[in-house]
Structure formats: C-alpha cells, structure tokens
Amino acid sequence: MYSFISHIKFIFSATNQHGVHSPFVYSYITKGLYTKKKFATSKSVDILLKSIRYFNIKNLKINSESNLYLNNIKPNFPNLETKASQFEGIYLENCKDWNNTIIEKEIKNITWVFINNIHKSKEENTFWEKIKKQKEIKVSVDLFYCGILFFRKEQEKEHFKIRY
C-alpha cells in the first residue's frame, strides 16, 4: 500500500525532460533514458541498462553471480568488467546496501550509483532521503523505480524527480 500511495504522490511532483534545467541531466534523460530501445520489461532494469549504455560504463560494481548480472547485464554488455579497483558505476539492490566507507574509496568524479527500489517501503524512502543529502552527492535523479546518484564536483547540488 505504501508503494502505491508513494507512486501517486510521485506522479504529481515529478516532471519530464522539459522541467530539467541541468544540461547534464537533460542530456542523460533525452539521449539515454527516453530512447526507444527497450532492454527489459522491468522498468528499473531497463533504466539500469540504458544508463550503462549512455555513460559507456566499462566497469560496474555488482555481484557477478546475481541473476540480474547473468540474465540482463552480461548478455547486453559482454565486455563489462565487474572486478576492478575503481568503478564507473555501482549497483545497489536497495538503500540499506549503502555503505559510506566502501563508496568513498571507490568513487570517481564520473561515478554513478544506481539504487533499486527506493520507494518500496517507508524505510527505504527514508534511507534514500538521507543518502541524497550527503555533501559528496551533487546530483540525484529519482525515477520512482530506482534512484541514481552522481558525484560531479563541478555541479551544484540538485535533485530531480523524473517520470519514466
């Protein structure tokens, strides 16, 4: 029930690419997320795969034994590395997996963190709100099904809610 009510609230407060005033986020939405190619039926998996393609991710921190990796990521991106010392992308199944000490060691300016299920429960949503307020995170994109965090040092702190 929480997820349903949260989704209704989200729809009324979110925007599409026309409400975005950041060239970085606008480009990501229009050239990455809103492309016609569909990778998966699950919206969050589709967003993840489109993000990997748009940012041309070469190494992603994800459990290489997971079904998501084996069934969706590996077939579409066979050269993607999952065992590197620094990552361009980090996948977290939920907000509870956030660990500041690991994240801080592994981030680069271009790194993004994909967090699945940010509105699944009140607790997850509370975690999401805390995470996106951290000073290192400059841009957060809430797509309801998932959230994406960016560590762009050259950008002012901004939060976007985007309908997908």
Side-chain angles (χ1 to χ4, degrees):
M1 186 64 154
Y2 176 83
S3 187
F4 175 74
I5 293 169
S6 184
H7 191 251
I8 299 299
K9 289 179 183 178
F10 179 85
I11 289 170
F12 287 110
S13 62
T15 186
N16 58 16
Q17 76 269 23
H18 300 297
V20 174
H21 301 293
S22 163
F24 169 74
V25 176
Y26 181 83
S27 179
Y28 168 53
I29 293 167
T30 57
K31 295 177 183 170
L33 297 182
Y34 286 176
T35 58
K36 292 185 183 200
K37 179 176 171 77
K38 262 205 166 313
F39 282 103
T41 54
S42 161
K43 289 191 179 193
S44 62
V45 173
D46 197 51
I47 292 167
L48 174 64
L49 298 176
K50 284 181 176 183
S51 298
I52 291 170
R53 183 185 63 189
Y54 176 77
F55 291 110
N56 195 23
I57 298 298
K58 303 275 187 270
N59 47 57
L60 178 71
K61 182 175 182 167
I62 185 172
N63 180 352
S64 60
E65 314 271 315
S66 75
N67 287 336
L68 174 64
Y69 176 75
L70 295 172
N71 297 335
N72 298 102
I73 297 173
K74 192 172 183 178
N76 288 293
F77 303 99
N79 297 324
L80 188 96
E81 178 65 45
T82 59
K83 296 177 185 358
S85 59
Q86 279 200 316
F87 298 94
E88 296 169 320
I90 299 171
Y91 172 85
L92 301 176
E93 184 56 40
N94 54 56
C95 293
K96 294 174 197 167
D97 292 341
W98 180 264
N99 183 332
N100 292 335
T101 56
I102 293 172
I103 299 292
E104 288 172 8
K105 289 181 193 171
E106 297 170 346
I107 62 169
K108 297 190 275 186
N109 192 42
I110 59 170
T111 299
W112 52 258
V113 177
F114 180 101
I115 304 176
N116 201 16
N117 297 317
I118 62 172
H119 291 283
K120 187 175 185 176
S121 67
K122 188 173 184 171
E123 184 181 31
E124 283 293 318
N125 194 284
T126 302
F127 274 127
W128 168 251
E129 292 299 322
K130 284 181 186 176
I131 292 168
K132 73 180 191 181
K133 289 179 183 175
Q134 293 184 8
K135 66 177 176 146
E136 300 84 17
I137 296 163
K138 296 299 183 173
V139 177
S140 57
V141 179
D142 181 342
L143 295 150
F144 185 76
Y145 307 98
C146 57
I148 303 173
L149 306 168
F150 297 94
F151 301 87
R152 296 174 44 88
K153 294 177 180 118
E154 68 276 9
Q155 189 159 341
E156 291 295 315
K157 192 167 189 71
E158 292 184 271
H159 174 68
F160 300 93
K161 284 184 172 184
I162 306 295
R163 284 187 293 269
Y164 181 78

